Amino acid sequence: MTRTPTKTRPARSKEVVTFSSYCSKRARRIEAIVRSFTAICCVGVVVLVVFLLGYLFIRGVGSLSWSFIFDAPKDRMTAGGIWPAIVGTLWLIGLVSAFALPVGIATGIYLAEIAGQSRPVRMLRIAIANMAGVPSVVYGLFGYAAFSLALGFGKSLLAMGLTLSCVTLPVVITATEEALRQIPKEQRQAAMALGCTRARTLGKIVLPTALPGIITGAILGLSRAAAETAPILFTGVAFFAPVATNVTQPSMALPYHLYIMATQPTTPAPHIVWGTALVLTGMLSITNAGIATWRSYKRRKLQW
Amino acid sequence: MVTTEPAGSFDISNLSVSYGSEAALTGVSFYIEPRRVTALIGPSGCGKSTLLRCFNRMNDALDNVKVEGLIALNGSDINAKSVDSVSLRMYVGQVFQRPNPFPLSIYDNVAFGPRTQGIRKREQLDELVIDSLKKAALYDEVKNSLKKHAFELSGGQQQRLCIARALATKPGVLLMDEPCSALDPISTGMIESTVEQLKESVTIVIVTHNMQQASRISDTTAFLLRESIDEPAQLIEVTDTTTMFTQPSDQRTENYITGRFG
């Protein structure tokens, strides 16, 4: 064992000075309580997540097979696979990406960069915050009235996609606006002082820098859309339908399939329920974990 | 070095700036000579930065700022309707108080201005980037790592990168807003000697809190003062730097430079 040379240090006195009189017992007790309480809560959450995902995995993994994923349901929904529901959910993700992302990101850019702080703009922000608080089943009713009936899209992927887009919009708008506000004003000034127009400053500096935040918001919004059942309930989700080939058809979707299989059939098929739950959760978890990793990689390069 | 571009000179007459109903600066008139270093000094809140921002119309971006009076750059009014603030800012570059490189590589930072001007040719960009980095006395430190991310540089290097970035659009005037206030003495020294070199080709207007710095690097010094919070700031005195620091003609200037307030 090597010892660090102590010669240059002052000799240690035998008396131990603890400085204890500088901190009251009460303050230390509060510190200990706060520490243990927050730690216990944190451990509780971790245990909950591990238990939930672990239990889901153990119950669901037995159902997974190529035919479970790539086949249609058979024998009055008691056997076969979930392929039409997977395709339906992918259709919905695609449709929401096509509607909610461009509109949401553009609105976020407008609110953060162009609109300013006038009274109507503040009202608009409050309205958007409220949109996020509307129960999703209310969106379902609205979507049925507006898209299925009034616009005549009937029970179709299009009506479902538009309804889910409404659910997703506030998430995307808020995330975009926040991401843009994070960009230091010094960056904008630097670009302007180099003779950039506002559009070029936005396109070349502000948007690329804010992109990780915007994409994160977009993915969170999309995964929420993919996981929702209520908004598609009245607008076109099917108990059983073949693989959808265009947006005018009704379609199966994973969350609804899970719900209906767990509650409706006369002959229960629990392996299908657990398998569906695992596939849906797996799809969303992998996407979220991927995005989180990508973002932390990007963030490391962007320390202001 | 012989340049064909005219070096920038500013002729400011009766300039006033107000934010909303509050007048910030009033009755400023003076001449900024081309290819010289002009320092703006004065206590905090005396309108130095406000005045500086008038020279490249960065005040345009702020809400309710009103600029009155005449600022003639090389003889023509920069606030005239026909003058485009975007092209003006390519001719009047600015370096800010805190280094603010873009989250891009060293090369892309310097090439940003020229690319905005529409220069796309690789060789032309390479030449501008290298030339600007040399002028900003940064080239030797980064010549082997032009692809490196700008945020990996030290604070002092980042500030010199910002100077190089401002020089790459070939400006006639460079505005510097306390460019050394966030830097250590060694980096400050490097920036000061850069300024010394640059004035051969560019007019420099520098805001500084540091009077030693003003006396070291500037040829002309302007002293601004806001005498009370109810009044707008004014230009108290403008003269060549040596006179300013040895025999100021105004008592208020003398009080300030001898450290009696501010």
Side-chain angles (χ1 to χ4, degrees), chain A residues 186-187 192-193 195 200 302-303, chain B residues 86 89 100-101 103 112 116 151:
Chain A
E186 287 82 3
Q187 292 281 316
M192 278 180 63
R200 192 174 161 87
L302 288 178
Q303 292 300 328
Chain B
V86 167
R89 289 182 197 134
N100 56 358
F112 192 90
T116 305
F151 290 2

Side-chain angles (χ1 to χ4, degrees), chain A residues 48-61:
Chain A
L48 190 69
V49 170
V50 169
F51 176 76
L52 196 129
L53 292 180
Y55 189 71
L56 183 60
F57 186 77
I58 291 163
R59 293 294 301 260
V61 74

Side-chain angles (χ1 to χ4, degrees), chain B residues 17 23 43 60 85 110 126 149 174 178 188 194 207 222 235 242:
Chain B
V17 182
D60 290 12
S85 63
V110 184
D126 285 350
H149 202 271
L174 189 60
E178 296 185 51
T188 302
T194 308
V207 166
L235 177 69
T242 326

